[in-house]
Amino acid sequence: MALKHKPTAPYHSAQDALRVLETVARHTTGITDTELARHTGLGAERLTTLLRMLRREGYVEQIADGAYVTGDALARLGSAHRREEALREKIQRTLDRLRDSVGAAVYISRYVDGEVKVTQYADSPATPKVNEWVDFRCSAHATAVGKSLLTQLDHNGRRDHLARHKPARLTSRTITSGTLLLSRLAAQPPTVPVLDLQEYAVGTVCAAVPITAGSTVGCLALSLPVEHAHRLRQAAEALNRNAAPVLLSLAI
């Protein structure tokens, strides 16, 4: 199965942040922002934004003379011992912060061995998660998560998935025509969040953005009760802007 690599803004941000981080790591006694700009070729405004994110995520720290050194979060993720646990904890903290900033339940999902898998999520009493009344593995055609993952596959990969999981009608808004669904997926711009407007469950709207890292297809998603549907696009755009830290964690 081939993947359709479509670099998005979060992808480019994560790549730039990784370049900054690698430069800081090479200078064990510290490096100033002026030196970082020279080594990375990044503009001052862009570099300032990336350094702010890297400090917030704990990947770099600023020492007394103002220079930057690597932070504790990088050391934990860089260690082979307990890496998976450290990564899970790091992503969970990021999801918790995203949940609070966008005011919605948030999820990270991956396409593993031909199946949709929600690997982590962050919800709260004020931002409840979606009731999984139909297994997400069988409902990719109706969910924002599933459709976002399918858009990142090539045409044959999408057809294979739909052949194994026939599109079933879950609500009056669900697309059950394979031909129409494939057409919609092919036309989906990579920079625009995928939406689910009560296609999976009546009373719930969702949005998802891609976070492909390496050869693994993934996405970040959010859900809102339908009475908050007016906030969906704004929340989805915020989710997209803040996807870079998750991509960076997966890339380290």
Side-chain angles (χ1 to χ4, degrees):
M1 177 185 65
L3 307 182
K4 293 183 67 176
H5 290 285
K6 301 173 179 178
T8 57
Y11 174 86
H12 290 305
S13 293
Q15 290 296 100
D16 287 346
L18 197 58
R19 188 154 35 122
V20 172
L21 198 50
E22 288 169 345
T23 305
V24 173
R26 287 198 301 269
H27 295 77
T28 54
T29 58
I31 182 171
T32 66
D33 51 3
T34 302
E35 292 170 322
L36 274 170
R38 186 170 70 250
H39 281 284
T40 62
L42 294 168
E45 185 176 351
R46 176 71 165 162
L47 182 60
T48 298
T49 299
L50 292 170
L51 284 170
R52 187 182 304 121
M53 184 266 281
L54 289 169
R55 288 181 65 186
R56 186 186 69 229
E57 296 294 325
Y59 291 127
V60 302
E61 297 173 1
Q62 202 166 14
I63 54 180
D65 63 357
Y68 291 91
V69 296
T70 56
D72 290 341
L74 183 63
R76 286 195 296 272
L77 285 181
S79 171
H81 178 59
R82 294 184 62 211
R83 172 178 159 71
E84 286 302 315
E85 182 182 347
L87 178 59
R88 189 171 183 83
E89 290 173 354
K90 185 76 185 69
I91 288 177
Q92 191 61 50
R93 286 195 294 273
T94 302
L95 292 180
D96 290 345
R97 188 169 61 247
L98 277 172
R99 173 200 61 206
D100 296 339
S101 65
V102 303
V106 294
Y107 315 77
I108 184 169
S109 181
R110 302 172 82 177
Y111 196 72
V112 182
D113 296 328
E115 301 293 351
V116 172
K117 185 177 181 182
V118 175
T119 54
Q120 286 178 254
Y121 65 89
D123 66 346
S124 72
T127 56
K129 66 182 180 69
V130 173
N131 173 35
E132 189 179 350
W133 75 283
V134 175
D135 193 321
F136 289 143
R137 291 175 298 180
C138 304
S139 53
H141 64 290
T143 64
V145 160
K147 288 186 288 182
S148 179
L149 296 175
L150 291 177
T151 61
Q152 297 173 67
L153 307 182
D154 64 9
H155 182 71
N156 288 336
R158 296 168 189 163
R159 288 189 63 175
D160 171 73
H161 185 92
L162 295 178
R164 289 182 290 109
H165 299 290
K166 301 292 186 183
R169 187 172 300 283
L170 306 182
T171 76
S172 62
R173 293 173 176 262
T174 308
I175 297 174
T176 57
S177 163
T179 302
L180 177 57
L181 184 61
L182 288 170
S183 174
R184 293 274 181 89
L185 293 173
Q188 175 68 31
T191 55
V192 177
V194 178
L195 303 182
D196 156 21
L197 304 176
Q198 300 189 87
E199 295 170 54
Y200 173 75
V202 174
T204 302
V205 295
C206 306
V209 296
I211 53 163
T212 302
S215 61
T216 302
V217 167
C219 73
L220 269 179
L222 64 84
S223 64
L224 288 166
V226 70
E227 55 266 30
H228 291 278
H230 61 282
R231 293 203 295 115
L232 183 62
R233 290 189 183 276
Q234 184 178 6
E237 289 167 3
L239 189 73
N240 200 27
R241 287 195 303 272
N242 291 282
V246 178
L247 265 170
L248 185 59
S249 297
L250 294 172
I252 291 173

